[in-house]
Amino acid sequence: MRKAGHLVAAALRLAQSMATVGTKLEDIDRAVEGFFREHNAEPLFKGYPGKVPYPGSTCLSVNEQVVHGLPGPRQLAEGDLLKVDTACRLNGWCADAAITVGIGKISSAKERLCQVAWEVLELAIREIAVQLKKRGSWSDVAAKMQLRAESAGYRMVTQYVGHGIGRAMHEPPQVPNYVDRQTKRSDFRLEPGLVLAVEPMLNMGDSSTKVLRDHWTVVTRDGLSSAHVEHTLGLTEQGVWVLTAGDKEERIVSV
Ligand code: MF3
Ligand code: CO
C-alpha cells in the first residue's frame, strides 16, 4: 500500500503542477490516467459503478462543487478553488488521496477555508495516533475534526464519509468526519492493521449538498465554496503512516 500511496501522491503533484489558469480539466484527468498506466497501476475511479459509470480517473471539483466533479472541457480560471481526488491499485493494493489547490490568486476567504481543511486532516492524523495508543474510538477523532471545522466558522459535510481501504478502494468501516447518534452506533476502535482513507469536506456556508443531473457532481446547495482533502493512513504499532504524503515526504506520526 505504501507503493500505491507514493504513486497517488505523485499523480496529485502532477495534477497540481498542471492546475493553472486556462488548463482544461480533462487534460489533467488524461495526464493522471496516463501516469498510473505508465506505472502499471489501475486508476480506480474509471468505470466506478453508479447511475452512470464514473467517466474519469480523477474527480475534479471546482468552487461550490464538493466532490465527484467530472473532468470535462471546463478551463480553470483565476481564483478557482480546485479539489483533485484520485486513487489507484498497484500489485493488488489501493491508495486514495485528495488535495485542494487555489488557481492563481484566490480570495482570502478561500485561502482560509483551504488552510483549515488541511489543518483538520493534520489534526485527525495526530488524534488517530493518540487514540491508537489507547485503543480509543474513531468518534473521538471525528468529534475533534468537527469541532475544529466549526470553530473556524465552517460546516462539515455529513452526506459523504471516508472509508477503510485495502485490496478494494472502499472497504468497511465507514469513516465519518462528524459525530451524531447514528455514527456513534457504528463507531469502531482504532487498532494496528487498519488502513483508513480520511477525507474531511468543509463548506464555507451550509453543510447541505445535492447531486447535479450528471449523476455525479456534488455541489453545495447554497453555492458557497467547499474544500476537500484526503490521505490514506496505515495504523501500526509504530504509529500512523501517512501513505499518500509522497515517497520523500512519507512519515509516521506517533505519540
Ligand atoms: N475518492 C472518492 C472517495 O474517496 C471516490 C470517488 S467516486 C468515484 O471515496 F466514482 F470516482 F470513484
Ligand atoms: Co476516499
Side-chain angles (χ1 to χ4, degrees):
M1 293 189 79
R2 294 176 60 195
K3 288 188 178 163
H6 295 163
L7 264 193
V8 166
L12 289 175
R13 274 200 300 270
L14 170 64
Q16 181 165 11
S17 73
M18 293 178 71
T20 54
V21 174
T23 301
K24 283 186 182 145
L25 297 179
E26 60 197 7
D27 291 339
I28 297 176
D29 187 72
R30 195 174 313 108
V32 167
E33 176 169 359
F35 178 81
F36 283 144
R37 298 207 190 279
E38 269 166 41
H39 290 84
N40 298 313
E42 181 192 342
L44 288 169
F45 291 4
K46 197 102 197 192
Y48 193 91
K51 276 226 173 87
V52 294
Y54 192 75
S57 296
T58 58
C59 293
L60 300 173
S61 314
V62 182
N63 300 332
E64 80 287 357
Q65 300 175 352
V66 180
V67 286
H68 306 169
L70 303 183
R74 177 175 181 166
Q75 289 181 311
L76 289 169
E78 181 93 20
D80 278 346
L81 194 63
L82 173 70
K83 283 75 71 177
V84 184
D85 189 352
T86 196
C88 78
R89 186 189 279 118
L90 180 69
N91 302 324
W93 295 99
C94 303
D96 182 7
I99 56 175
T100 296
V101 292
I103 306 304
K105 181 147 179 54
I106 61 173
S107 68
S108 56
K110 283 178 173 174
E111 190 79 56
R112 183 168 167 272
L113 173 71
C114 177
Q115 193 190 317
V116 173
W118 284 111
E119 268 174 36
V120 166
L121 183 55
E122 260 328 292
L123 170 151
I125 295 168
R126 266 197 317 278
E127 194 57 27
I128 290 170
V130 170
Q131 296 298 332
L132 176 59
K133 195 149 211 179
K134 36 181 194 190
R135 300 294 186 265
S137 298
W138 169 257
S139 59
D140 289 318
V141 179
K144 293 220 157 99
M145 294 170 77
Q146 184 177 16
L147 183 62
R148 171 67 63 92
E150 291 181 354
S151 316
Y154 302 125
R155 288 288 170 267
M156 197 70 93
V157 173
T158 55
Q159 225 103 43
Y160 301 89
V161 298
H163 48 95
I165 180 168
R167 292 271 184 198
M169 173 169 64
H170 291 142
E171 296 186 356
Q174 291 200 9
V175 184
N177 304 298
Y178 62 95
V179 186
D180 64 10
R181 278 190 6 240
Q182 182 63 39
T183 67
K184 282 274 196 189
R185 276 199 290 275
S186 46
D187 202 3
F188 59 92
R189 209 168 278 291
L190 296 172
E191 290 171 334
L194 261 180
V195 186
L196 303 176
V198 176
E199 46 182 321
M201 288 146 270
L202 277 70
N203 287 356
M204 226 178 248
D206 199 75
S207 73
S208 61
T209 60
K210 64 178 183 190
V211 179
L212 297 186
R213 289 169 70 170
D214 62 18
H215 299 301
W216 280 105
T217 311
V218 176
V219 298
T220 58
R221 279 186 184 272
D222 60 14
L224 295 178
S225 284
S226 186
H228 171 224
V229 294
E230 175 178 21
H231 271 309
T232 295
L233 305 172
L235 281 54
T236 73
E237 296 286 358
Q238 288 72 42
V240 182
W241 288 64
V242 185
L243 297 172
T244 45
D247 53 350
K248 307 250 179 355
E249 298 83 355
E250 192 181 59
R251 56 205 164 99
I252 303 183
V253 177
S254 60
V255 291

